[in-house]
Amino acid sequence: MSQPTPLKPVTGGKKTARAASVPAAVANEGTAELMHRTMDCLPHLIWVAGHADRPGWGNAAWRNYTGDNTSNWLDAVHPESAARLASLWTEMLKTQVGFQEELRMRAVDGSFRWFLVSALHHEAQQHWYLSATDIHERVLARQALVRNLGMQEKMLDASVDCIKIVNPDGTLAHMNLSGCKALGVSPDSGFGMKWLELLPPEIHAAGLRAFRQALRGGNARFSGKSVVPGKQPQFWDNILTPVLDDNGKTMSILCVSRDVTLQQLAEERLRKANEVDELTELPNRRAFQEALRPALLRAREKGSGALLMLVDLDHFKHLNDTLGHAAGDHLLQVMARRIQGCLPDSAFVARIGGDEFAIVLQDVKDDDAVMRIAHRVMLQLDPPINYASKRINGSMSIGCALYPRDARDPMVLMSNADAALNDIKVNGRGGVRIFNAEIMRPLEDEAVQMDQARRILRDGTVRAYYQPKVRLLDRKLVGLEALLRSQDVEHGGLQMPGTVQAAFLNYDLATRIADALRAKVMADILNWQHAGLTLVPVSLNAAPVEFMRDNFAERLLKQIEKAGVDPTLIELEVTEQTLDDRGSAFVTRALLQLKQAGIRVALDDFGTGHSSLTRLRNFPVDCLKIDSNLVGNFGSDPAITAVVNAIGHIGADLSLELVAEGIETEKQCQSLLAAGFEIGQGHLFSRAVNADAITALLTSEQALWAPVRASAAA
């Protein structure tokens, strides 16, 4: 029920209300009867208060609705309003000021309808009049609207989204309960404050752009944030939708903000996982690659240089293998802190590999400045770093490249710094290497060789050539060593293995070339066999990298079986480097398996590396081969002569076949024969020749070696 509206008393000289003007006219005419007839014609319910000598009176509309004429008009009021109306009536009699009130009145059938009741006092006639206008339908419609609005407000308050209605001037017209909680606004505040001022300062620009776009009639979206004292920040996805009038003008803006805090935190954790090294909390390789280009752009804008430094902790794998990964992790964490601490705050330090750090530093222009910074970094290994009561400091290798002197492109600069690092690691580790053009030449040669290897595989130009093995005593052919050659498609002629040497350090290329060569060898053996020739064993070389997978024996035996070749016709040559690189785990198992299948094993280049008699005991070796370097100096260099003689005695004592490579003179042949070497190969007997030349040789029944035609040799 609304608050009463005070009304001024009706004076005799004024006609401010219809209910007052009619009695005035009647008074002038002097007849009460005329007044009653006139009031009976009105549609409004009118009741005239009586005096002590005259009862109250209601017009026809009043009588028809209430069924009463003379009783107290308060009897027609709804019981819930009767007490209040009685109080208003009493107050009116005292103050002589009328009132206006919405209330329910009882009809003759007992039902109630809503009326707007106005009480007026006519001073001239000393009468009080009540005028009641039926507003029932309007009140019911208003109540329904209020209920709907209340229901909508409750629905808005039930939403977890922050929902706001913003006026075109940027003030807040309404906000649901979730929004009030998020922005720290009391629901009873009445709103009216500037919406953008409720947001953190760093969000204002994005919010203002979105608001202006919505004012122009377009939908807008921006990422927001709310900070309430005592609570964790919340992150919001804000969508602004303009509410337009019939003319298309923005009346208000609906802003719906969805809480994406959990998503934001998850994305932040994911970003951190993607860009931050968990162990050292430094930026990782991904973050480093993204930061390198902007850093070089800043250096270019300033007209200064920039240093890219790669730091590698030497023998880190050995530390992990001996003391465990926890020791390695401890070393990395300590070094990460020390390296960051010894450099300016502007330096960008990242961990880009297992034991490798990258540093980008601005305003470095020459080698002297590079060396000063590198020395400062290297000093971080001087203070002790202990783990499990052991000092684990070790050493470091540093490769450096300068922008723009060494490269302007970030990736080229990175490649050059990496080349400098690899150069120092290859040459003993420990120290600093600054990039120069000479460092790139071996790498460029390697790239050419790798490309050539891929080309011969793609073009199918792998060729098998064979160098005969001769028994030195009677010069009879006792074996062949298969050697790689490739056909030069563009220029003609044969290419030596040195043109693809780098490929034998790559597992994929090495195994593919070896498979192609061995397929040629198997086919040649079968051709000789089908021709009815007396066959001799053929030696196949295996690169150390081929043992990187623990399946070498299986792969070779499968190839031999598929070709249908007798395994006893195959000999495998491995170098001492193979045993060093892979150790006994893979190599021993592979060699034992091949030995059981009937394949002989020769240890090639024996005596030139870190030769050890332990290998002869641990590995299933049938033959020892010495290379041309020993053979060429045998007899002229006392030390080498002693080594060759010692190998001759070892072979005899261990019942191992001894083979000398690179024999070029008869004198060398006789000296080696005297030293205990039974078999030899070299230009004295033949260069490597193709399969046709071997066919002719196997056909010959000559006991002594006969030189082959020069055109067949390679």
Side-chain angles (χ1 to χ4, degrees), residues 122-191:
H122 197 286
E123 292 181 356
Q125 298 185 3
Q126 293 297 309
H127 283 303
W128 284 99
Y129 299 95
L130 290 177
S131 174
T133 303
D134 190 327
I135 59 171
H136 188 73
E137 301 302 331
R138 187 174 69 187
V139 170
L140 292 183
R142 187 177 64 199
Q143 290 175 343
L145 178 61
V146 170
R147 284 195 301 271
N148 288 337
L149 290 175
M151 186 179 299
Q152 291 174 7
E153 186 169 350
K154 289 180 180 179
M155 291 174 62
L156 291 178
D157 287 343
S159 174
V160 296
D161 292 338
C162 176
I163 302 174
K164 301 169 286 292
I165 298 175
V166 185
N167 294 318
D169 62 358
T171 58
L172 197 61
H174 182 75
M175 184 162 57
N176 70 342
L177 187 59
S178 295
C180 292
K181 291 179 179 178
L183 297 177
V185 177
S186 171
D188 302 324
S189 64
F191 308 120

Side-chain angles (χ1 to χ4, degrees), residues 411-428:
M411 293 301 101
V412 177
L413 188 70
M414 179 70 179
S415 176
N416 291 347
D418 194 51
L421 177 62
N422 288 333
D423 185 68
I424 195 170
K425 288 167 66 175
V426 168
N427 292 284

Side-chain angles (χ1 to χ4, degrees), residues 261-275:
T261 303
L262 294 179
Q263 177 183 341
Q264 181 78 12
L265 293 176
E267 290 176 355
E268 179 63 20
R269 286 194 296 269
L270 182 60
R271 184 202 64 78
K272 189 173 182 180
N274 285 337
E275 297 182 357

Side-chain angles (χ1 to χ4, degrees), residues 1-7 84-85 88 92 97-103 115-120 131 133:
M1 185 162 50
S2 64
Q3 294 294 322
T5 304
L7 300 177
R84 173 172 172 77
L85 262 295
L88 290 174
M92 182 190 69
V97 178
F99 65 85
Q100 196 174 65
E101 185 83 6
E102 290 182 359
L103 51 84
F115 286 85
L116 176 63
V117 177
S118 300
L120 300 171
S131 174
T133 303

